[in-house]
Amino acid sequence: MTKQQQLTPSEKGYASFSDMSAYYDAYGGCFIPETLMPAIDELIRQIEAITQQADFRDELSNLLATYVGRPTPLTYAKNLSDELGFQIWLKREDLAHTGAHKINNALGQALLAKRMGKHRIIAETGAGQHGVATATVCALLGLDCTIYIGSVDVERQKLNVFRMELLGAKVVPVENGTKTLKDAINEAIRDWVTNVDNTYYLLGSALGPHPYPKIVREFQKIIGIEAKQAFQSKFPGELPTAVVACVGGGSNAIGLFHTFIDEPSVRLIGIEAAGKGIESGQHSVRLAKGVQPKPGVLQGCYSFVLQNAEGQIQETHSIAPGLDYAMVGPEHAQLWQQGRAEYYSADDEQALAGLKLLTRTEGIIPALESAHAIAGLVQLSTTFNEQDRVIVNISGRGDKDMMAIFERSQHGDAK
């Protein structure tokens, strides 16, 4: 390892959870029913002990390498670079086992749960990739698995629902509310309250009550660590101009951003889902230009939440189920408040165009979530010059979205 590739203290291992604040400035916290506090206290105590154990780290590292297929490559997108006029590198989380970055966090938390003596796992999913990842690691480790998913997302992600069931998971469609990710999380929390003694809640994004935002960030920061190492192996001593990722709850973005937060020359860029357009009111934008960010508490966490004029949770929309969520994770709220990260948005049509652009130029079909990052890159192309080098996280592959895109094309909505 060269001097430029030496790891910083935060990259060498897992952070000390007991020393961490529950807050990112004003954001975060732990707003949960009193009945769940013993479970949260146990989680903080156990994760502190377990993640510092050498054999836990060895087991996780071995499975990340031999089962997940890490490190995932950093691919130079020459054709896309030629088209947009600057140098673009793709962090290929789509090549991880199960086809998305979700497997990193699912594997880490499932190993943690098993060492805590919890043999029943519950999880929520929107795009289906977290559900598939959780069902996969439960099959690997012999854990009982129940996945909650909104019934709207069941229809949008039929293939992933079939994959979860094939892997042995019990899939529970949620009919409440908007029947999407927010409602799936509500049902998972209700299950956890009822079965807290024998059940581990494997939360899928960098949000929810403390310590989940930090747990998910710690298991996803490998994305940024690998990206930095691969970049500096090609350009010793240099850093990328910017790193770009889509932002729903924000786990893939915070996983990519974390290593670069203390590198002020690197722009951190998140792309939210503008759905049918911010003006339509049918979107999932919490921070980007065009909305007035409103803080609030949702599902155990204080951060920015889409709200209507009465302060009620506003219904969300995105063509990408994984971005269709009312709250952004608290670390993103802090980065936005500090002005350290920039947030923009791309609507459904721009995301579809981004998907087709990457597919046509590079032969890579991204997930609709990742297509938002490509669409954001197109919008921001005039802010880069030909010497700039930008890393974009391809958080997942597009197989899961093919039926939805096909059906949309049959109705003339996508050409």
Side-chain angles (χ1 to χ4, degrees), residues 10-80:
S10 67
E11 295 169 341
K12 288 180 178 176
Y14 297 104
S16 173
F17 291 85
S18 62
D19 291 341
M20 284 186 179
S21 167
Y23 287 88
Y24 297 89
D25 292 335
Y27 309 105
C30 186
F31 301 87
I32 58 173
E34 193 170 330
T35 51
L36 282 179
M37 277 311 300
I40 288 291
D41 289 341
E42 179 191 18
L43 178 58
I44 294 173
R45 187 174 62 254
Q46 294 266 28
I47 194 172
E48 175 70 12
I50 292 170
T51 56
Q52 304 307 318
Q53 294 170 358
D55 61 340
F56 171 82
R57 295 185 184 199
D58 290 344
E59 183 178 14
L60 179 55
S61 295
N62 179 59
L63 286 172
L64 286 173
T66 63
Y67 188 73
V68 175
R70 306 205 72 86
T72 58
L74 192 64
T75 301
Y76 180 54
K78 182 180 184 305
N79 299 327
L80 183 61

Side-chain angles (χ1 to χ4, degrees), residues 2-279:
T2 67
K3 181 178 180 181
Q4 290 78 19
Q5 290 175 273
Q6 289 178 348
L7 300 179
T8 66
S10 67
E11 295 169 341
K12 288 180 178 176
Y14 297 104
S16 173
F17 291 85
S18 62
D19 291 341
M20 284 186 179
S21 167
Y23 287 88
Y24 297 89
D25 292 335
Y27 309 105
C30 186
F31 301 87
I32 58 173
E34 193 170 330
T35 51
L36 282 179
M37 277 311 300
I40 288 291
D41 289 341
E42 179 191 18
L43 178 58
I44 294 173
R45 187 174 62 254
Q46 294 266 28
I47 194 172
E48 175 70 12
I50 292 170
T51 56
Q52 304 307 318
Q53 294 170 358
D55 61 340
F56 171 82
R57 295 185 184 199
D58 290 344
E59 183 178 14
L60 179 55
S61 295
N62 179 59
L63 286 172
L64 286 173
T66 63
Y67 188 73
V68 175
R70 306 205 72 86
T72 58
L74 192 64
T75 301
Y76 180 54
K78 182 180 184 305
N79 299 327
L80 183 61
S81 299
D82 290 344
E83 187 144 332
L84 295 187
F86 54 98
Q87 300 171 50
I88 300 166
W89 299 81
L90 309 175
K91 180 56 177 163
R92 300 294 307 281
E93 291 302 289
D94 59 313
L95 295 182
H97 182 43
T98 70
H101 72 291
K102 294 293 187 181
I103 190 74
N104 309 319
N105 169 59
L107 180 60
Q109 287 200 56
L111 285 173
L112 174 67
K114 190 166 185 177
R115 289 184 179 232
M116 289 174 65
K118 308 283 188 180
H119 294 283
R120 179 174 183 261
I121 302 294
I122 58 172
E124 82 298 326
T125 194
Q129 294 291 45
H130 176 56
V132 169
T134 301
T136 297
V137 297
C138 285
L140 174 70
L141 301 176
L143 301 169
D144 183 68
C145 182
T146 297
I147 306 291
Y148 291 92
I149 179 171
S151 60
V152 168
D153 292 334
V154 169
E155 286 301 310
R156 293 197 285 188
Q157 300 295 332
K158 289 179 181 176
L159 179 59
N160 271 343
V161 170
F162 177 69
R163 292 170 72 191
M164 290 178 238
E165 292 175 336
L166 194 63
L167 287 159
K170 176 184 177 183
V171 179
V172 181
V174 175
E175 300 291 348
N176 301 325
T178 58
K179 306 174 186 178
T180 57
L181 181 58
K182 171 176 67 67
D183 310 292
I185 294 176
N186 281 338
E187 288 306 309
I189 291 175
R190 289 191 185 98
D191 184 319
W192 195 25
V193 170
T194 306
N195 302 289
V196 68
D197 289 340
N198 68 346
T199 297
Y200 182 91
Y201 180 19
L202 204 162
L203 209 153
S205 196
L207 39 75
H210 176 74
Y212 278 107
K214 290 182 170 64
I215 291 175
V216 176
R217 193 272 312 283
E218 288 298 298
F219 288 135
Q220 292 292 8
K221 71 182 184 184
I222 193 170
I223 300 170
I225 293 171
E226 288 179 358
K228 183 180 179 183
Q229 290 176 341
F231 185 87
Q232 293 193 327
S233 71
K234 303 175 192 300
F235 307 104
E238 298 187 29
L239 290 166
T241 308
V243 294
V244 182
C246 63
V247 179
S251 67
N252 91 91
I254 210 65
L256 178 64
F257 289 178
H258 184 66
T259 293
F260 299 102
I261 287 175
D262 293 329
E263 306 282 6
S265 68
V266 181
R267 293 174 65 185
L268 310 179
I269 299 174
I271 309 297
E272 297 182 284
K276 296 182 179 179
I278 293 176
E279 300 78 12

